[in-house]
Amino acid sequence: MALIHSIANNRDKIKLNEGILKRFLDDGKDMSPSDRGEMLKNAEDIVNTHKEIATEGQTAPPNPEDVPPYHFIAFVCKDGNLYELDGGKFDPINHGSTSPDSLLEDTVNLIQEKFFFQNPDSLYYTLLSLSNVGDFF
């Protein structure tokens, strides 16, 4: 979900080829968040692709009825603000101003304050950044 949020909120920077994800994002762009959620829940092509890929891993997939001990949250820069996109919350959370240049630093600071420092012994932290590869070389 975090990757879908991240891509959907950066369509001006990410060019998608024709396919399931592009079609889903195009079809849902004018819908309310709850309507997009329903559309995703009923998107058999996405559900079936996810199930197929999940079985290719090196570990057994979890029981679908088990509640996972963790989930993914996306942080995006939108209209000059740092938003937390968490599928378990009703609305995006605005954490104040940021910019594309300071997004990574601002996000790391927020994660340290809000999550890590509150539970520093947890092993359930992973950070993934979507970035223009050209910026690293």
Side-chain angles (χ1 to χ4, degrees), residues 93-122:
I93 299 170
N94 185 338
H95 289 286
S97 64
T98 193
S99 70
D101 292 335
S102 66
L103 175 63
L104 183 58
E105 182 178 353
D106 294 339
T107 301
V108 168
N109 290 335
L110 176 67
I111 290 169
Q112 286 177 331
E113 292 171 18
K114 185 175 179 184
F115 300 101
F116 183 75
F117 290 147
Q118 292 182 14
N119 192 5
D121 295 327
S122 176

Side-chain angles (χ1 to χ4, degrees), residues 3-4 7 11 16 19-26 46:
L3 289 173
I4 291 174
I7 292 168
R11 296 283 308 270
L16 294 175
I20 296 169
L21 182 58
K22 183 178 185 308
R23 188 170 46 254
F24 171 77
L25 294 174
D26 288 346
I46 292 175

Side-chain angles (χ1 to χ4, degrees), residues 1-11 25 33 36 71-79 81-95 103 107 110-111 114-115 130:
M1 287 308 306
L3 289 173
I4 291 174
H5 281 302
S6 297
I7 292 168
N9 283 279
N10 287 286
R11 296 283 308 270
L25 294 174
R36 277 193 303 270
H71 68 280
F72 298 94
I73 301 169
F75 295 92
V76 299
C77 176
K78 187 72 172 177
D79 300 327
N81 289 294
L82 173 59
Y83 284 96
E84 175 183 340
L85 305 173
D86 183 339
K89 297 183 179 163
F90 187 71
D91 288 317
I93 299 170
N94 185 338
H95 289 286
L103 175 63
T107 301
L110 176 67
I111 290 169
K114 185 175 179 184
F115 300 101
L130 298 180

